[in-house]
Amino acid sequence: MLRRIIRPARRLPLWLILTVAGPFIFEVVVHQWHFSVPRPASELDAPFFTSCQEPDVSAKRENAALVMLARNNELEKANRTVTSIEQQFNRWFNYPYVFLNDEQWDPSFIEVLNKTSRGLATFDVVPRAQWTFPEGVDINAAKQNIKEQGERGIPHAGEEGYHHMCRFYSGKFYQLDVLKKYKWYWRLEPDVDFTCAITYDPFVQMARHKKVYGFTIALWEVGKSCPGLYRSIADWKEMMGIPTTSLWKATVSASWMPYPFRRFMSWLPNRDAYGDEWSLCHYWSNFEIADMDFFRTKAYQDLFDYLDKKGGFYFERWGDAAVHSLAIALLADPRKIHHFEDFGYRHALLYQCPANAPGGQLPESEILGSGTWAAEEDNGIGCRCECPGPSPRNFGSYCLNKLKQPTTAKRPRFASFL
Ligand SMILES: *[C@@H]1O[C@H](CO)[C@@H](O)[C@H](O)[C@H]1NC(C)=O
Ligand SMILES: *[C@@H]1O[C@H](CO)[C@@H](O)[C@H](O)[C@H]1NC(C)=O
């Protein structure tokens, strides 16, 4: 009986299927092709160095600061980070530190960290006005919403302070009095290890190579933390007529749904008005070496003000990592982004750590001194690295490859463990 009912639906002739579906298939293929990013013919973002250097301690420094936002109860973790960067880098280069807190500093924090940081250390408090809800936000509604985000299990989204922090790092921190005098910053976070020696001045190299933004780890954003962010930025791009960079294309996972149905997908999270999706790949902003003048441009500040008015820093949990990454993809020349793939960096559970460069460890160097480090390996680019895992992590990730594609010819040799 059942067979009878099904049987009469005879197979449709192939020509009919192709005639109806063909244009849709063709359209989807063209659509995918539109978002593909061809590999450049040559390496556009090589590491600045691929072995240890004799630190050039007499070279002119850039106008730069090491910046850390910390809380009083993060004393040990902050001390760990500073101990690490002093040992691996700053004992040769002596850059100043700026410590930021949203509350008054404990004298004990200042005492310990001032001693651990051999460079000049400044301890500053973020002005209240930059660590609160912006004008025009219904504070009670925002607080209620933050509570609900927490209950939905979105990481950190239930903490009001975390929202203020994301907003602060997205838009206002470059304008603090204490940072105004600097052009470059290296963002530090409590609980970080630098696991290779950094024997050259990354600020000088960034300036020399005309870079504006440097990163170590790229990974996926938690999509439900910021479902409306990508749409907002993509809408802004369109409103302002900002041309599409290859890096912007690389952030898109083009939809396989044919036109015009694709447009209905725009209602889903992390999509633009045309139904294409953000890949969620972004630079992990707890490490950044960047030119603050990029963030101080009118183009960036206008974008931030627009995002701020959208309310997503509170009614969703827009992270500064995602905001910075999408803004970079939107507004920066992709050649101005640098992957510090020669740096060993660990924060929380994630790390990137290269293998050591063959013959590149300068064991006799007086200024570097003696020490221990992991074995050298073919294709290694690290300097005196000691990785926290059992072996150096030498495999790339889709997410990183996607973001590196516009700037690199080769597959990245080292990546985070994601
Ligand atoms: C801070 O780090 C230094 C090493 O750089 C160490 O001697 C000191 O005991 C640490 N202090 C605290 C409170 O962790
Ligand atoms: C840090 O220590 C130096 C010298 O040890 C001292 O002159 C300076 O005032 C201290 N800074 C702070 C902020 O306490």
Side-chain angles (χ1 to χ4, degrees):
M1 185 67 182
L2 193 61
R3 280 188 76 173
R4 272 264 174 88
I5 296 167
I6 293 171
R7 206 64 184 284
R10 286 220 195 100
R11 279 175 54 193
L12 291 166
L14 190 62
W15 66 265
L16 186 60
I17 296 173
L18 283 182
T19 311
V20 175
F24 291 110
I25 295 169
F26 179 73
E27 195 277 337
V28 166
V29 170
V30 169
H31 184 69
Q32 292 289 329
W33 172 79
H34 176 74
F35 283 98
S36 73
V37 180
R39 286 197 182 279
S42 63
E43 172 92 56
L44 301 177
D45 180 40
F48 295 138
F49 294 99
T50 52
S51 64
C52 294
Q53 306 296 304
E54 285 289 341
D56 187 355
V57 294
S58 59
K60 192 169 168 291
R61 307 289 191 269
E62 284 293 326
N63 178 18
L66 312 175
V67 179
M68 187 196 291
L69 181 69
R71 296 194 202 94
N72 288 314
N73 64 12
E74 292 174 310
L75 170 62
E76 269 86 29
K77 288 177 172 175
N79 195 45
R80 176 179 182 142
T81 300
V82 173
T83 301
S84 179
I85 197 170
E86 280 293 335
Q87 168 64 23
Q88 303 285 26
F89 167 72
N90 209 38
R91 62 183 164 128
W92 303 303
F93 294 98
N94 242 326
Y95 275 100
Y97 291 83
V98 174
F99 293 94
L100 301 169
N101 195 339
D102 63 307
E103 292 176 346
Q104 290 301 321
W105 287 105
D106 271 351
S108 59
F109 190 105
I110 294 182
E111 199 191 317
V112 172
L113 269 297
N114 189 35
K115 202 175 282 170
T116 307
S117 22
R118 271 167 287 188
L120 172 75
T122 307
F123 297 83
D124 205 48
V125 176
V126 179
R128 265 277 145 250
Q130 300 199 11
W131 197 272
T132 187
F133 299 97
E135 265 174 51
V137 165
D138 179 340
I139 295 183
N140 288 332
K143 284 183 189 247
Q144 180 60 30
N145 197 296
I146 286 168
K147 198 165 146 249
E148 286 162 16
Q149 290 174 51
E151 284 160 7
R152 272 184 279 139
I154 302 168
H156 300 294
E159 306 157 28
E160 184 186 313
Y162 198 87
H163 291 258
H164 293 319
M165 188 270 285
C166 289
R167 175 170 177 266
F168 169 71
Y169 261 136
S170 294
K172 297 294 175 192
F173 110 90
Y174 326 98
Q175 297 169 347
L176 287 185
D177 282 340
V178 67
L179 289 178
K180 264 185 192 156
K181 58 176 176 283
Y182 298 110
K183 175 174 168 66
W184 300 92
Y185 75 108
W186 182 334
R187 177 164 160 190
L188 302 173
E189 199 85 3
D191 188 27
V192 161
D193 292 315
F194 291 93
T195 57
C196 305
I198 299 164
T199 54
Y200 62 90
D201 184 334
F203 299 115
V204 167
Q205 296 304 322
M206 292 279 287
R208 178 174 298 162
H209 291 89
K210 302 196 165 55
K211 302 283 184 179
V212 295
Y213 190 86
F215 71 98
T216 51
I217 293 172
L219 77 173
W220 287 277
E221 181 56 292
V222 178
K224 62 184 175 177
S225 73
C226 53
L229 174 63
Y230 185 66
R231 173 68 185 266
S232 297
I233 296 186
D235 285 354
W236 174 257
K237 176 178 181 295
E238 186 146 319
M239 253 155 40
M240 305 306 287
I242 300 169
T244 303
T245 66
S246 54
L247 189 53
W248 180 267
K249 275 190 187 177
T251 66
V252 179
S253 288
S255 173
W256 288 93
M257 184 68 86
Y259 183 85
F261 309 106
R262 190 155 61 233
R263 285 215 170 213
F264 299 129
M265 314 281 281
S266 69
W267 295 101
L268 296 172
N270 304 302
R271 304 255 174 176
D272 64 17
Y274 302 97
D276 290 306
E277 196 173 9
W278 173 33
S279 71
L280 301 177
C281 283
H282 68 299
Y283 310 120
W284 210 27
S285 64
N286 50 71
F287 173 103
E288 288 179 320
I289 296 181
D291 182 350
M292 283 191 275
D293 289 344
F294 169 80
F295 295 104
R296 289 170 180 142
T297 55
K298 185 166 180 327
Y300 182 83
Q301 288 296 324
D302 284 352
L303 170 63
F304 171 75
D305 289 340
Y306 158 82
L307 293 177
D308 204 20
K309 289 204 182 75
K310 289 262 169 189
F313 288 108
Y314 296 98
F315 291 93
E316 295 182 7
R317 200 226 66 195
W318 292 356
D320 50 279
V323 171
H324 284 188
S325 301
L326 287 170
I328 289 278
L330 186 66
L331 301 171
D333 176 345
R335 284 170 299 190
K336 296 192 171 191
I337 294 142
H338 183 63
H339 180 207
F340 282 98
E341 58 185 288
D342 53 325
F343 279 23
Y345 179 78
R346 180 209 59 85
H347 174 53
L349 295 173
L350 302 188
Y351 67 90
Q352 106 167 341
C353 194
N356 283 320
Q361 306 306 307
L362 298 182
E364 311 289 319
S365 167
E366 258 172 50
I367 181 163
L368 296 185
S370 60
T372 58
W373 50 86
E376 296 172 0
E377 287 184 25
D378 288 349
N379 294 325
I381 56 168
C383 171
R384 300 189 169 199
C385 300
E386 280 202 286
C387 302
S391 66
R393 306 290 180 143
N394 279 10
F395 49 92
S397 71
Y398 170 78
C399 183
L400 181 71
N401 291 354
K402 204 61 191 146
L403 288 174
K404 277 196 71 131
Q405 212 166 21
T407 53
T408 326
K410 285 184 267 171
R411 271 181 64 80
R413 284 162 294 183
F414 309 105
S416 72
F417 84 136
L418 275 182

